[in-house]
Amino acid sequence: MEWNEKLQIIIEYVENHLQRKEESIDREEISKIAECSFGFFQKVFSYMNGISFAEYIRSRKLTLAGYDLKSTDLKVIDVSYKYGYNSPTSFTQAFQLFHGVSPREARNRNVVLKVVPKMQISERYEYSWKLEQKGGFRLVRKSILMSCENNLPSRKIPEFWNTCQRDGTFAKLISMDTAAPKGIFPNATWAIFNCRGCVPQAIQKGWQYLNEEWLVKYPFQHAQCPEIEWYSNGNAYDSSYLSQIWIPIIQED
């Protein structure tokens, strides 16, 4: 097998042990898959991906721990042991360093957590997300002229405009059904994911990540209204351009 194939199998092995078996990573098993010593594998992994194998595993553990803290009632001590930390103190320190907030603060709905999704060897993306309570609002259909720079053409797109916002941002309703007649949305809690990069690639990658990982592993009960894509006012071709995916959820108090 080529190195890329071996690395992808190892990534799947890591995910299986972290998410399903909840077991520690076996170095000998990784050496067998890589067909080399574990030390040599680590060097190849770092060279190919710009991140050490240990750092990648740590990032995945803390990403998954963030999911658990927001979506379950697991105690911090239980989450720390679940992901192989020797004590809640060491887990809290690592979590704070990675997410910028403590595990207890992470439970707050509007706290943004960092996401390092499962690696695809050819490309890596990072996301951040939060839960946010929003009051009722309405979206109405309107043509939008999306501004661009660097002599690139502006794009006029028929979308749904959030009439509550006056800063040039707009929102795209993913589906329209009887749950949101005429684009009227009730008071609801939203899981909001930030996607950075030019569109539509960034938003497409965001949906791919959600469908492959977040929606599968952490199935919050979906509220009775459609998802929304939100786009900021700016250069849609810029690598730092911000778009968002909003998923309405039912969260028990």
Side-chain angles (χ1 to χ4, degrees):
M1 287 188 293
E2 298 291 335
W3 266 109
N4 279 355
E5 295 178 81
K6 295 176 183 178
L7 289 177
Q8 196 62 59
I9 292 173
I10 290 171
I11 293 299
E12 298 299 335
Y13 167 84
V14 168
E15 292 299 315
N16 184 52
H17 276 64
L18 291 181
Q19 296 197 53
R20 287 172 280 279
K21 293 186 177 181
E22 297 180 10
E23 297 175 352
S24 59
I25 306 302
D26 187 339
R27 294 187 175 191
E28 292 186 4
E29 184 63 28
I30 289 177
S31 294
K32 289 180 182 178
I33 299 172
E35 299 179 330
C36 65
S37 69
F38 184 73
F40 185 73
F41 162 74
Q42 288 182 299
K43 292 180 180 179
V44 173
F45 186 95
S46 298
Y47 176 78
M48 292 185 68
N49 301 292
I51 182 176
S52 72
F53 187 58
E55 184 180 353
Y56 172 71
I57 292 177
R58 182 168 56 252
S59 297
R60 288 298 295 146
K61 285 181 176 181
L62 293 170
T63 293
L64 298 173
Y67 293 158
D68 286 340
L69 290 169
K70 274 199 182 292
S71 64
T72 73
D73 294 327
L74 285 174
K75 296 180 180 178
V76 172
I77 187 172
D78 294 329
V79 176
S80 66
Y81 291 138
K82 177 180 178 180
Y83 292 105
Y85 286 86
N86 295 325
S87 69
T89 300
S90 61
F91 169 70
T92 297
Q93 291 173 342
F95 192 94
Q96 177 91 38
L97 184 62
F98 182 77
H99 289 287
V101 296
S102 71
R104 295 188 184 279
E105 292 172 330
R107 293 192 188 276
N108 295 334
R109 291 181 175 179
N110 61 344
V111 168
V112 176
L113 297 183
K114 183 178 179 181
V115 172
V116 175
K118 183 181 77 172
M119 181 182 291
Q120 302 296 329
I121 294 303
S122 60
E123 55 189 354
R124 288 193 296 119
Y125 293 87
E126 292 189 2
Y127 303 94
S128 59
W129 72 297
K130 64 180 179 179
L131 298 180
E132 186 170 330
Q133 185 79 24
K134 290 211 175 265
F137 59 91
R138 180 180 180 184
L139 304 182
V140 294
R141 185 176 292 277
K142 203 169 189 178
S143 293
I144 298 161
L145 188 63
M146 196 172 197
S147 62
C148 303
E149 298 173 1
N150 301 325
N151 297 319
L152 293 172
S154 297
R155 297 187 293 167
K156 191 173 184 179
I157 314 174
E159 302 291 359
F160 283 85
W161 182 271
N162 187 340
T163 56
C164 297
Q165 296 170 322
R166 306 292 183 181
D167 58 359
T169 63
F170 66 93
K172 177 182 179 182
L173 194 60
I174 301 307
S175 63
M176 174 64 79
D177 55 26
T178 55
K182 298 182 180 179
I184 298 175
F185 288 78
N187 182 24
T189 298
W190 299 82
I192 300 177
F193 293 82
N194 290 336
C195 304
R196 291 283 181 181
C198 62
V199 293
Q201 290 87 350
I203 206 80
Q204 291 172 347
K205 290 295 182 182
W207 278 115
Q208 180 180 345
Y209 153 69
L210 290 173
N211 289 325
E212 290 180 352
E213 179 176 316
W214 192 84
L215 291 172
V216 175
K217 181 169 175 57
Y218 294 92
F220 287 95
Q221 186 176 354
H222 200 293
Q224 293 300 308
C225 55
E227 297 90 354
I228 292 175
E229 291 175 4
W230 175 91
Y231 297 85
S232 60
N233 181 28
N235 180 7
Y237 294 95
D238 192 272
S239 60
S240 62
Y241 179 78
L242 175 63
S243 53
Q244 293 177 335
I245 297 173
W246 295 15
I247 300 177
I249 65 169
I250 297 175
Q251 187 179 46
E252 297 181 359
D253 295 326

